[in-house]
C-alpha cells in the first residue's frame, strides 16, 4: 500500500544480450520437448554440420599444413569470401532465417532499439551453422599460426571471429531488408527491374568471365585475392596472414574495415527491424484501378487463367495463381527461380567452355560433351523450379482447412496446384532456354534445352507432390517471407536434399538421351521432354492424390502453426 | 434488419442443393464417444451429443474445455482417436465427401484464404462446392450486400477488421445453402452491430428449417438465441438439454459457473493493484 503507483515496485534491471541468448536456448529446448523426431533431426543436422565443418577446416588449413605459403592468401581470401557470400545468398535462395525469436514479439516491451538489435544478434549467433562455420574457418588460424607464430595466430583468431559476426549480421540485415521490400506492392515493379538487370548483366559478365578464365594463372588470381582481401568479403580472413607475411600494418586496417562493416550492417538491420516490429502496416495505397466489373466469379479468375472452366478445378487454379503473386513468401520463390535460372546455366556453361579452350589450346570447344553439360545445368534449373512446391501446403497454413471442409479430391487438388504454378514457371523456363541459348551462341539448342527443362520440371512436380503431402511442415505466420520455425531448419534441409536427389534420378533419362541420341536429340528433345514431363507430373498427381485423400486432416494439422 | 432480397434460398427444399428427404429422419448432428488426446493432454474425453434438426444449439464451455476440438472432429477437420460423427445421417469419417456437401462450417482460429478479396473468396468457396457460376455470382452479391461488405470492394480479406472477417467467414459457410451450420465462436471479437446482424441471419436460417450448432462462452447470446444447450468442461458434456431444462429457474450464467466450478476474487490477493 505504501508504494507509490508511478514507481516500479523493484529497481529495473538492465536487459542484456545474455537474456536473449537464454531465451533462445529455452525456446529451442521447449521445441524439442516430447518431439523425439525433432531431437533426432537436430542431431543428424548437427552431425552433417560437423562433417562439413571438419572437411572445410582441413581445406582451409591445407596451406599451413603443407607449409606452402604461395596459396595461403588465395585460400583465405576466396574461402572466407565464399563463406560471406554463402551467408548472404543461401538464406534468400534456400534456407530462410531462423526466427525463433520473432522481433514482432518484442514490440510491446520497453526495450531500446540498441538493446533489441544486440540481443537478437547475440541470439542469432547461437545456432548450429554458426558453430560449424566457426569450426571450419578456424582452419585459417592454423595456417596463420604455422607461418607467423603466435602473434599471427592471435590476429587470425580475432579476424575469424569478427568475420563470423560479419556473416551473421549480413544475413540478418539482407533478409530483413528484402522482407520489408517484398511486403510492399512496389516489389512487383522491383521484380521486373531485377530481371532486367540480370539479363543486362549477362553480356558483360560473359566477356569478363571468359577473359578471366582464359588468362587464368596464379599470379593473376593472387592479385585478385589481394584485392578481395581489402574488401569486407576478405578483410577479416586475411588479417592474420598479413601479420604472418610481414605486413603487420595491414592487420589493424583490415579489422577496422570489418568492424565498420558490421556496424553498418547492424544499423541497417536495426532500421528494417523497426518496420518488421510494427507489423505489416499498410501495404501501400492501392493503386487507382478501373471500376470493379463482372460478378464474383469473374473477379476470382486472373486473366492468365481466364481460359479455365468455372468449376472446382478452375477455382483451385485461379486461387493458387492469385496466391503466387499476392503472397510475398511465394513471390520471393518465383523471383529466385527467375534469377537463379538465368545465372547458373550461363555461369556453368561459360565456365565449362573456358576450361575446354584452355585444355585444347583454342580448339573449337563445342564437342559432343557440351550438350550434356548444358543438359545438366538445365536439369538443375528445372529441379530448382519444382522444388518450390516441396512445402506447397505449408504456404497455405491453416487456410487449407477450407479445402478440407469442402472435401476437394486429392488428385484434383494436386493437378490444380501444378497447373497454377506452371502458369508462372513455364514462361520463365521458356525465357531461360531462349536467353541461355542465345548467350551461348547456339540458337539451334533451344529445342532440347526447353525439353530438358520441362522434362525435369515435370519429374520434379511428381516427386514434390509426394514430398508436399508427406513431409509438410508449418511456416510461421509472420510477414517475413524468409522466416521459418526453429527446428524446421534441419527437417527442411533434409527434405530438400531428398526431393532434389529423387528429382535428379527422375531426370536421368533426359541426360542419357542427350548423350546417346547425338544430333537427333536436337530435334527430339522438345517433344520427348515435354511428353516425359507432362506424363510424370500427371502420374505423380495421380499417385500422390490417393495419399492426400487418406490424410487430409493430418496434413492440415501439420501445416497449422502451433500457437 | 434483413431485407427481402435474401430470397430465402436456404429454406428447406427450395434450392438445387437440398439433398432428398433424408433430413427429417435423422438428428442434424450426432456425436458418439468422440475422444481426442494431444500428447499427454486429453482434450476431449468421449462426447455424445444429439442435435435435433431445426434446433439452434449452443455449445457452452470455458476456454480450453474442448469446444473447438469437438467441433473440428464433428466436421472432418480433425481425425478423432475414437468415436464417430454423423451429419444429417452421413458418417463424417466414413463418407467424408457426402457429409461435407451438407455442411456449412466456420472454424475458429483458422485463417481464410485471406489474400483474396471478399468477392473472390466467395467465388472460390462456391465453385469449390460445385455450384453453378451464375448462382455463385448472384448469392455472393446478395451476401456481400446484406453483410455490409460490398463497400470493401477490392480490399483483401487480410486487411479486414476482426468483425468483417467473421462476417465473410459466415458468408462462405452459408453460400452453398447447407442444411447444417457449424460455427465455432461466431460472436467472438464482433462489434454489437455486426453481432446483431449475424444473430438476425442465423435466426432466419433456423426459421427456414436449417440447424445451427455454435460454440460460445458468452451467456447472454446463448440465452437469447438457443433452443438447446450443452455445457462442455474438461472434455466432457456436463449438462445437456433444452435451454429451459438446463437453466431451470436460475440464470444460465449461474448454472454455468456452478458446473464449471469457478472462483471469485476475495480481495485478499492482488492487494498491490489498489493504492
Amino acid at each position: 500500500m505504501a508504494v507509490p503507483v508511478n514507481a516500479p515496485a523493484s529497481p529495473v534491471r538492465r536487459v542484456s544480450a545474455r537474456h536473449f541468448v537464454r531465451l533462445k536456448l529455452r525456446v529451442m529446448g521447449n521445441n524439442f520437448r516430447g518431439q523425439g523426431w525433432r531431437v533426432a533431426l537436430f542431431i543428424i543436422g548437427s552431425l552433417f554440420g560437423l562433417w562439413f565443418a571438419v572437411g572445410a577446416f582441413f581445406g582451409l588449413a591445407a596451406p599451413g599444413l603443407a607449409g606452402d605459403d604461395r596459396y595461403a592468401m588465395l585460400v583465405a581470401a576466396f574461402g572466407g569470401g565464399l563463406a560471406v557470400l554463402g551467408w548472404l545468398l543461401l538464406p534468400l535462395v534456400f534456407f530462410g532465417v531462423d526466427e525463433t525469436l520473432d522481433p514482432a514479439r518484442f514490440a510491446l516491451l520497453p526495450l531500446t532499439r540498441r538493446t533489441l538489435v544486440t540481443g537478437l544478434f547475440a541470439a542469432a549467433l547461437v545456432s548450429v551453422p554458426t558453430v560449424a562455420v566457426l569450426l571450419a574457418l578456424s582452419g585459417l588460424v592454423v595456417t596463420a599460426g604455422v607461418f607467423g607464430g603466435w602473434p599471427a595466430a592471435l590476429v587470425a583468431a580475432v579476424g575469424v571471429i569478427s568475420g563470423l559476426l560479419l556473416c551473421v549480421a549480413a544475413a540478418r540485415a539482407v533478409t530483413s531488408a528484402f522482407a520489408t521490400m517484398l511486403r510492399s506492392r512496389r516489389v512487383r515493379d522491383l521484380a521486373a527491374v531485377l530481371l532486367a538487370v540480370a539479363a543486362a548483366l549477362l553480356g558483360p559478365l560473359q566477356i569478363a568471365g571468359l577473359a578471366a578464365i582464359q588468362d587464368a594463372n596464379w599470379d593473376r588470381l593472387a592479385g585478385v585475392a589481394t584485392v578481395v582481401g581489402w574488401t569486407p568479403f576478405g578483410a577479416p580472413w586475411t588479417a592474420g596472414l598479413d601479420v604472418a607475411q610481414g605486413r603487420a600494418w595491414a592487420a589493424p586496417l583490415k579489422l577496422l574495415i570489418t568492424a565498420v562493416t558490421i556496424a553498418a550492417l547492424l544499423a541497417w538491420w536495426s532500421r528494417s527491424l523497426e518496420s518488421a516490429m510494427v507489423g505489416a502496416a499498410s501495404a501501400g495505397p492501392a493503386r487507382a484501378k478501373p471500376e470493379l466489373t463482372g460478378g464474383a466469379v469473374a473477379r476470382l479468375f486472373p486473366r492468365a487463367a481466364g481460359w479455365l472452366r468455372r468449376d472446382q478445378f478452375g477455382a483451385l487454379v485461379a486461387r493458387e495463381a492469385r496466391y503466387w503473386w499476392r503472397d510475398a513468401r511465394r513471390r520471393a520463390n518465383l523471383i529466385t527461380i527467375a534469377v537463379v535460372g538465368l545465372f547458373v546455366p550461363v555461369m556453368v556453361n561459360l565456365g565449362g567452355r573456358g576450361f575446354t579452350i584452355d585444355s585444347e589450346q583454342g580448339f573449337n570447344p563445342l564437342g559432343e560433351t557440351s550438350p550434356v553439360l548444358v543438359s545438366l545445368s538445365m536439369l538443375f534449373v528445372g529441379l530448382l523450379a519444382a522444388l518450390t512446391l516441396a512445402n506447397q501446403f505449408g504456404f497455405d497454413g491453416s487456410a487449407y482447412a477450407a479445402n478440407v471442409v469442402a472435401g476437394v479430391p486429392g488428385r484434383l487438388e494436386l493437378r490444380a496446384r501444378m497447373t497454377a504454378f506452371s502458369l508462372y514457371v513455364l514462361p520463365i523456363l521458356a525465357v531461360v532456354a531462349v536467353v541461355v541459348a542465345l548467350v551461348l551462341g547456339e540458337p539451334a539448342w533451344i529445342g532440347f534445352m526447353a525439353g530438358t527443362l520441362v522434362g525435369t520440371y515435370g519429374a520434379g512436380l511428381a516427386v514434390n507432390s509426394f514430398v508436399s503431402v508427406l513431409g509438410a511442415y508449418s511456416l510461421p505466420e509472420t510477414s517475413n517471407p524468409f522466416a521459418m520455425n526453429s527446428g524446421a531448419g534441419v527437417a527442411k534441409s533434409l527434405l530438400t536434399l531428398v526431393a532434389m536427389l529423387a528429382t535428379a534420378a527422375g531426370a536421368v533419362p533426359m541426360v542419357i538421351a542427350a548423350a546417346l541420341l547425338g544430333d537427333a536429340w536436337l530435334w527430339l528433345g522438345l517433344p520427348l521432354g515435354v511428353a516425359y514431363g507432362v506424363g510424370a507430373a500427371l502420374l505423380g498427381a495421380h499417385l500422390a492424390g490417393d495419399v492426400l485423400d487418406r490424410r487430409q486432416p493430418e496434413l492440415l494439422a501439420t501445416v497449422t502453426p502451433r500457437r | 434488419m434483413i431485407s427481402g432480397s435474401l430470397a430465402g434460398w436456404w429454406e428447406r427444399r427450395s434450392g438445387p442443393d437440398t439433398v432428398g428427404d433424408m433430413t427429417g429422419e435423422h438428428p442434424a448432428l450426432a456425436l458418439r464417444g468422440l475422444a481426442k488426446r494431444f500428447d499427454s493432454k486429453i482434450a476431449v474425453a468421449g462426447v455424445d451429443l444429439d442435435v435435433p434438426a431445426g434446433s439452434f444449439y449452443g455449445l457452452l464451455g470455458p476456454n480450453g474445455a474442448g469446444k473447438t476440438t469437438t467441433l473440428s472432429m464433428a466436421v472432418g477437420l480433425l481425425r478423432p482417436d475414437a468415436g464417430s460423427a454423423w451429419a444429417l445421417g452421413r458418417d463424417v469419417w466414413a463418407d467424408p465427401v457426402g457429409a461435407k456437401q451438407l455442411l456449412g462450417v466456420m472454424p475458429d482460429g483458422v485463417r481464410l484464404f485471406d489474400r483474396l478479396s471478399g468477392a473472390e473468396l466467395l467465388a472460390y468457396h462456391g465453385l469449390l462446392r460445385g455450384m453453378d457460376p451464375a448462382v455463385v455470382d448472384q448469392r455472393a452479391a446478395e451476401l456481400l450486400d446484406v453483410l455490409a461488405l460490398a463497400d470493401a470492394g477490392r480490399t483483401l480479406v487480410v486487411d479486414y477488421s476482426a468483425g468483417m472477417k467473421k462476417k465473410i467467414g459466415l458468408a462462405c459457410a452459408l453460400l452453398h445453402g447447407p442444411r447444417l451450420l457449424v460455427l465455432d465462436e461466431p460472436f467472438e471479437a464482433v462489434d454489437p452491430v455486426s453481432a446483431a446482424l449475424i444473430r438476425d441471419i442465423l435466426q432466419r436460417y433456423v426459421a427456414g428449417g436449417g440447424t445451427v450448432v455454435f460454440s460460445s462462452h458468452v451467456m447472454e447470446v446463448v440465452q437469447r438465441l438457443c433452443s438447446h444447450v450443452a455445457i462442455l468442461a474438461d472434455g466432457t458434456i456436463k449438462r445437456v438439454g433444452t435451454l429451459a431444462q438446463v437453466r431451470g429457474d436460475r440464470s444460465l450464467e449461474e448454472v454455468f459457473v456452478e458446473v464449471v466450478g469457478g472462483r471469485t476474487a476475495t480481495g485478499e490477493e492482488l492487494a498491490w493493484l489498489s493504492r
Side-chain angles (χ1 to χ4, degrees), chain B residues 21-43:
Chain B
D21 50 9
M22 307 172 57
T23 47
E25 302 166 11
H26 303 279
L29 184 68
L31 310 180
R32 289 290 174 272
L34 278 185
K36 185 74 189 177
R37 167 197 288 271
F38 294 116
D39 295 332
S40 57
K41 183 180 181 297
I42 296 172

PDB file of all heavy atoms in Angstrom, chain B residues 21-43:
ATOM      1  N   ASP B  21     -34.907 -36.351 -49.058  1.00  0.00           N
ATOM      2  CA  ASP B  21     -35.804 -36.124 -47.938  1.00  0.00           C
ATOM      3  C   ASP B  21     -35.233 -36.757 -46.669  1.00  0.00           C
ATOM      4  O   ASP B  21     -35.945 -37.087 -45.755  1.00  0.00           O
ATOM      5  CB  ASP B  21     -37.176 -36.728 -48.249  1.00  0.00           C
ATOM      6  CG  ASP B  21     -37.039 -38.170 -48.729  1.00  0.00           C
ATOM      7  OD1 ASP B  21     -35.917 -38.708 -48.652  1.00  0.00           O
ATOM      8  OD2 ASP B  21     -38.037 -38.736 -49.180  1.00  0.00           O
ATOM      9  N   MET B  22     -33.899 -36.920 -46.675  1.00  0.00           N
ATOM     10  CA  MET B  22     -33.286 -37.591 -45.550  1.00  0.00           C
ATOM     11  C   MET B  22     -33.263 -36.705 -44.305  1.00  0.00           C
ATOM     12  O   MET B  22     -33.187 -37.188 -43.188  1.00  0.00           O
ATOM     13  CB  MET B  22     -31.831 -37.950 -45.871  1.00  0.00           C
ATOM     14  CG  MET B  22     -31.684 -38.729 -47.147  1.00  0.00           C
ATOM     15  SD  MET B  22     -29.950 -38.898 -47.531  1.00  0.00           S
ATOM     16  CE  MET B  22     -29.359 -39.675 -46.040  1.00  0.00           C
ATOM     17  N   THR B  23     -33.317 -35.417 -44.519  1.00  0.00           N
ATOM     18  CA  THR B  23     -33.015 -34.505 -43.432  1.00  0.00           C
ATOM     19  C   THR B  23     -33.972 -34.630 -42.263  1.00  0.00           C
ATOM     20  O   THR B  23     -33.598 -34.402 -41.132  1.00  0.00           O
ATOM     21  CB  THR B  23     -33.013 -33.067 -43.939  1.00  0.00           C
ATOM     22  OG1 THR B  23     -34.188 -32.883 -44.725  1.00  0.00           O
ATOM     23  CG2 THR B  23     -31.788 -32.807 -44.776  1.00  0.00           C
ATOM     24  N   GLY B  24     -35.218 -34.998 -42.525  1.00  0.00           N
ATOM     25  CA  GLY B  24     -36.179 -35.037 -41.430  1.00  0.00           C
ATOM     26  C   GLY B  24     -36.004 -36.241 -40.514  1.00  0.00           C
ATOM     27  O   GLY B  24     -36.403 -36.212 -39.363  1.00  0.00           O
ATOM     28  N   GLU B  25     -35.367 -37.294 -41.017  1.00  0.00           N
ATOM     29  CA  GLU B  25     -35.376 -38.543 -40.280  1.00  0.00           C
ATOM     30  C   GLU B  25     -34.266 -38.644 -39.239  1.00  0.00           C
ATOM     31  O   GLU B  25     -34.357 -39.426 -38.307  1.00  0.00           O
ATOM     32  CB  GLU B  25     -35.227 -39.717 -41.254  1.00  0.00           C
ATOM     33  CG  GLU B  25     -36.316 -39.748 -42.309  1.00  0.00           C
ATOM     34  CD  GLU B  25     -35.954 -40.692 -43.433  1.00  0.00           C
ATOM     35  OE1 GLU B  25     -34.985 -41.462 -43.281  1.00  0.00           O
ATOM     36  OE2 GLU B  25     -36.645 -40.646 -44.462  1.00  0.00           O
ATOM     37  N   HIS B  26     -33.201 -37.896 -39.439  1.00  0.00           N
ATOM     38  CA  HIS B  26     -32.035 -38.049 -38.583  1.00  0.00           C
ATOM     39  C   HIS B  26     -31.854 -36.807 -37.728  1.00  0.00           C
ATOM     40  O   HIS B  26     -32.319 -35.739 -38.084  1.00  0.00           O
ATOM     41  CB  HIS B  26     -30.781 -38.215 -39.449  1.00  0.00           C
ATOM     42  CG  HIS B  26     -30.866 -39.365 -40.388  1.00  0.00           C
ATOM     43  ND1 HIS B  26     -30.618 -40.654 -40.022  1.00  0.00           N
ATOM     44  CD2 HIS B  26     -31.198 -39.391 -41.709  1.00  0.00           C
ATOM     45  CE1 HIS B  26     -30.779 -41.441 -41.070  1.00  0.00           C
ATOM     46  NE2 HIS B  26     -31.137 -40.700 -42.100  1.00  0.00           N
ATOM     47  N   PRO B  27     -31.138 -36.990 -36.605  1.00  0.00           N
ATOM     48  CA  PRO B  27     -30.679 -35.768 -35.948  1.00  0.00           C
ATOM     49  C   PRO B  27     -29.733 -35.044 -36.911  1.00  0.00           C
ATOM     50  O   PRO B  27     -29.063 -35.689 -37.720  1.00  0.00           O
ATOM     51  CB  PRO B  27     -29.935 -36.274 -34.713  1.00  0.00           C
ATOM     52  CG  PRO B  27     -29.780 -37.735 -34.885  1.00  0.00           C
ATOM     53  CD  PRO B  27     -30.738 -38.199 -35.920  1.00  0.00           C
ATOM     54  N   ALA B  28     -29.723 -33.736 -36.870  1.00  0.00           N
ATOM     55  CA  ALA B  28     -28.872 -32.994 -37.795  1.00  0.00           C
ATOM     56  C   ALA B  28     -27.412 -33.348 -37.563  1.00  0.00           C
ATOM     57  O   ALA B  28     -26.631 -33.489 -38.493  1.00  0.00           O
ATOM     58  CB  ALA B  28     -29.093 -31.489 -37.606  1.00  0.00           C
ATOM     59  N   LEU B  29     -27.040 -33.484 -36.284  1.00  0.00           N
ATOM     60  CA  LEU B  29     -25.662 -33.841 -35.972  1.00  0.00           C
ATOM     61  C   LEU B  29     -25.696 -34.823 -34.803  1.00  0.00           C
ATOM     62  O   LEU B  29     -26.379 -34.579 -33.816  1.00  0.00           O
ATOM     63  CB  LEU B  29     -24.865 -32.590 -35.581  1.00  0.00           C
ATOM     64  CG  LEU B  29     -23.376 -32.775 -35.325  1.00  0.00           C
ATOM     65  CD1 LEU B  29     -22.644 -33.129 -36.610  1.00  0.00           C
ATOM     66  CD2 LEU B  29     -22.784 -31.506 -34.740  1.00  0.00           C
ATOM     67  N   ALA B  30     -25.014 -35.945 -34.966  1.00  0.00           N
ATOM     68  CA  ALA B  30     -24.967 -36.927 -33.883  1.00  0.00           C
ATOM     69  C   ALA B  30     -23.520 -37.291 -33.617  1.00  0.00           C
ATOM     70  O   ALA B  30     -22.798 -37.672 -34.533  1.00  0.00           O
ATOM     71  CB  ALA B  30     -25.774 -38.171 -34.265  1.00  0.00           C
ATOM     72  N   LEU B  31     -23.090 -37.143 -32.371  1.00  0.00           N
ATOM     73  CA  LEU B  31     -21.719 -37.487 -31.989  1.00  0.00           C
ATOM     74  C   LEU B  31     -21.787 -38.645 -31.006  1.00  0.00           C
ATOM     75  O   LEU B  31     -22.612 -38.652 -30.094  1.00  0.00           O
ATOM     76  CB  LEU B  31     -21.021 -36.291 -31.333  1.00  0.00           C
ATOM     77  CG  LEU B  31     -21.099 -34.955 -32.065  1.00  0.00           C
ATOM     78  CD1 LEU B  31     -20.350 -33.888 -31.276  1.00  0.00           C
ATOM     79  CD2 LEU B  31     -20.529 -35.067 -33.461  1.00  0.00           C
ATOM     80  N   ARG B  32     -20.888 -39.638 -31.203  1.00  0.00           N
ATOM     81  CA  ARG B  32     -20.874 -40.791 -30.308  1.00  0.00           C
ATOM     82  C   ARG B  32     -19.446 -41.062 -29.843  1.00  0.00           C
ATOM     83  O   ARG B  32     -18.588 -41.444 -30.633  1.00  0.00           O
ATOM     84  CB  ARG B  32     -21.385 -42.034 -31.032  1.00  0.00           C
ATOM     85  CG  ARG B  32     -22.869 -42.027 -31.328  1.00  0.00           C
ATOM     86  CD  ARG B  32     -23.710 -42.175 -30.057  1.00  0.00           C
ATOM     87  NE  ARG B  32     -25.121 -42.018 -30.352  1.00  0.00           N
ATOM     88  CZ  ARG B  32     -25.755 -40.832 -30.349  1.00  0.00           C
ATOM     89  NH1 ARG B  32     -25.096 -39.732 -30.052  1.00  0.00           N
ATOM     90  NH2 ARG B  32     -27.035 -40.769 -30.639  1.00  0.00           N
ATOM     91  N   GLY B  33     -19.218 -40.828 -28.567  1.00  0.00           N
ATOM     92  CA  GLY B  33     -17.938 -41.206 -27.961  1.00  0.00           C
ATOM     93  C   GLY B  33     -16.715 -40.554 -28.562  1.00  0.00           C
ATOM     94  O   GLY B  33     -15.641 -41.148 -28.582  1.00  0.00           O
ATOM     95  N   LEU B  34     -16.859 -39.333 -29.067  1.00  0.00           N
ATOM     96  CA  LEU B  34     -15.703 -38.661 -29.667  1.00  0.00           C
ATOM     97  C   LEU B  34     -14.637 -38.399 -28.610  1.00  0.00           C
ATOM     98  O   LEU B  34     -14.925 -37.879 -27.534  1.00  0.00           O
ATOM     99  CB  LEU B  34     -16.123 -37.325 -30.279  1.00  0.00           C
ATOM    100  CG  LEU B  34     -16.741 -37.343 -31.668  1.00  0.00           C
ATOM    101  CD1 LEU B  34     -16.976 -35.928 -32.137  1.00  0.00           C
ATOM    102  CD2 LEU B  34     -15.852 -38.092 -32.642  1.00  0.00           C
ATOM    103  N   ALA B  35     -13.402 -38.741 -28.934  1.00  0.00           N
ATOM    104  CA  ALA B  35     -12.309 -38.526 -27.989  1.00  0.00           C
ATOM    105  C   ALA B  35     -11.061 -38.119 -28.739  1.00  0.00           C
ATOM    106  O   ALA B  35     -10.832 -38.550 -29.880  1.00  0.00           O
ATOM    107  CB  ALA B  35     -12.048 -39.792 -27.182  1.00  0.00           C
ATOM    108  N   LYS B  36     -10.269 -37.264 -28.111  1.00  0.00           N
ATOM    109  CA  LYS B  36      -9.018 -36.820 -28.731  1.00  0.00           C
ATOM    110  C   LYS B  36      -8.000 -36.510 -27.656  1.00  0.00           C
ATOM    111  O   LYS B  36      -8.313 -35.878 -26.648  1.00  0.00           O
ATOM    112  CB  LYS B  36      -9.250 -35.567 -29.577  1.00  0.00           C
ATOM    113  CG  LYS B  36      -8.026 -35.099 -30.347  1.00  0.00           C
ATOM    114  CD  LYS B  36      -7.757 -36.012 -31.524  1.00  0.00           C
ATOM    115  CE  LYS B  36      -6.425 -35.716 -32.173  1.00  0.00           C
ATOM    116  NZ  LYS B  36      -6.147 -36.658 -33.267  1.00  0.00           N
ATOM    117  N   ARG B  37      -6.778 -36.977 -27.871  1.00  0.00           N
ATOM    118  CA  ARG B  37      -5.703 -36.736 -26.925  1.00  0.00           C
ATOM    119  C   ARG B  37      -4.573 -36.039 -27.677  1.00  0.00           C
ATOM    120  O   ARG B  37      -4.205 -36.441 -28.780  1.00  0.00           O
ATOM    121  CB  ARG B  37      -5.253 -38.077 -26.366  1.00  0.00           C
ATOM    122  CG  ARG B  37      -3.963 -38.082 -25.599  1.00  0.00           C
ATOM    123  CD  ARG B  37      -3.452 -39.508 -25.470  1.00  0.00           C
ATOM    124  NE  ARG B  37      -4.246 -40.309 -24.554  1.00  0.00           N
ATOM    125  CZ  ARG B  37      -4.001 -40.392 -23.245  1.00  0.00           C
ATOM    126  NH1 ARG B  37      -2.988 -39.761 -22.727  1.00  0.00           N
ATOM    127  NH2 ARG B  37      -4.761 -41.131 -22.473  1.00  0.00           N
ATOM    128  N   PHE B  38      -4.042 -34.977 -27.125  1.00  0.00           N
ATOM    129  CA  PHE B  38      -2.862 -34.330 -27.693  1.00  0.00           C
ATOM    130  C   PHE B  38      -1.688 -34.605 -26.769  1.00  0.00           C
ATOM    131  O   PHE B  38      -1.706 -34.171 -25.617  1.00  0.00           O
ATOM    132  CB  PHE B  38      -3.045 -32.828 -27.816  1.00  0.00           C
ATOM    133  CG  PHE B  38      -4.110 -32.436 -28.803  1.00  0.00           C
ATOM    134  CD1 PHE B  38      -5.250 -31.780 -28.394  1.00  0.00           C
ATOM    135  CD2 PHE B  38      -3.962 -32.734 -30.147  1.00  0.00           C
ATOM    136  CE1 PHE B  38      -6.223 -31.416 -29.301  1.00  0.00           C
ATOM    137  CE2 PHE B  38      -4.932 -32.378 -31.058  1.00  0.00           C
ATOM    138  CZ  PHE B  38      -6.064 -31.719 -30.632  1.00  0.00           C
ATOM    139  N   ASP B  39      -0.693 -35.296 -27.280  1.00  0.00           N
ATOM    140  CA  ASP B  39       0.439 -35.685 -26.435  1.00  0.00           C
ATOM    141  C   ASP B  39      -0.090 -36.290 -25.142  1.00  0.00           C
ATOM    142  O   ASP B  39      -0.781 -37.292 -25.166  1.00  0.00           O
ATOM    143  CB  ASP B  39       1.354 -34.490 -26.158  1.00  0.00           C
ATOM    144  CG  ASP B  39       2.006 -34.006 -27.444  1.00  0.00           C
ATOM    145  OD1 ASP B  39       2.186 -34.841 -28.351  1.00  0.00           O
ATOM    146  OD2 ASP B  39       2.307 -32.806 -27.563  1.00  0.00           O
ATOM    147  N   SER B  40       0.159 -35.634 -24.013  1.00  0.00           N
ATOM    148  CA  SER B  40      -0.285 -36.233 -22.763  1.00  0.00           C
ATOM    149  C   SER B  40      -1.606 -35.648 -22.283  1.00  0.00           C
ATOM    150  O   SER B  40      -2.181 -36.106 -21.316  1.00  0.00           O
ATOM    151  CB  SER B  40       0.794 -36.034 -21.692  1.00  0.00           C
ATOM    152  OG  SER B  40       1.046 -34.652 -21.557  1.00  0.00           O
ATOM    153  N   LYS B  41      -2.095 -34.610 -23.008  1.00  0.00           N
ATOM    154  CA  LYS B  41      -3.289 -33.931 -22.521  1.00  0.00           C
ATOM    155  C   LYS B  41      -4.539 -34.476 -23.223  1.00  0.00           C
ATOM    156  O   LYS B  41      -4.574 -34.561 -24.450  1.00  0.00           O
ATOM    157  CB  LYS B  41      -3.158 -32.430 -22.797  1.00  0.00           C
ATOM    158  CG  LYS B  41      -4.308 -31.610 -22.280  1.00  0.00           C
ATOM    159  CD  LYS B  41      -4.065 -30.132 -22.608  1.00  0.00           C
ATOM    160  CE  LYS B  41      -5.185 -29.257 -22.091  1.00  0.00           C
ATOM    161  NZ  LYS B  41      -6.465 -29.555 -22.724  1.00  0.00           N
ATOM    162  N   ILE B  42      -5.536 -34.857 -22.437  1.00  0.00           N
ATOM    163  CA  ILE B  42      -6.785 -35.316 -23.035  1.00  0.00           C
ATOM    164  C   ILE B  42      -7.650 -34.099 -23.307  1.00  0.00           C
ATOM    165  O   ILE B  42      -8.090 -33.414 -22.382  1.00  0.00           O
ATOM    166  CB  ILE B  42      -7.508 -36.297 -22.100  1.00  0.00           C
ATOM    167  CG1 ILE B  42      -6.635 -37.548 -21.921  1.00  0.00           C
ATOM    168  CG2 ILE B  42      -8.868 -36.664 -22.664  1.00  0.00           C
ATOM    169  CD1 ILE B  42      -7.162 -38.493 -20.881  1.00  0.00           C
ATOM    170  N   ALA B  43      -7.886 -33.803 -24.594  1.00  0.00           N
ATOM    171  CA  ALA B  43      -8.644 -32.603 -24.936  1.00  0.00           C
ATOM    172  C   ALA B  43     -10.139 -32.884 -24.888  1.00  0.00           C
ATOM    173  O   ALA B  43     -10.914 -32.082 -24.377  1.00  0.00           O
ATOM    174  CB  ALA B  43      -8.241 -32.107 -26.315  1.00  0.00           C
TER     175      ALA B  43
END
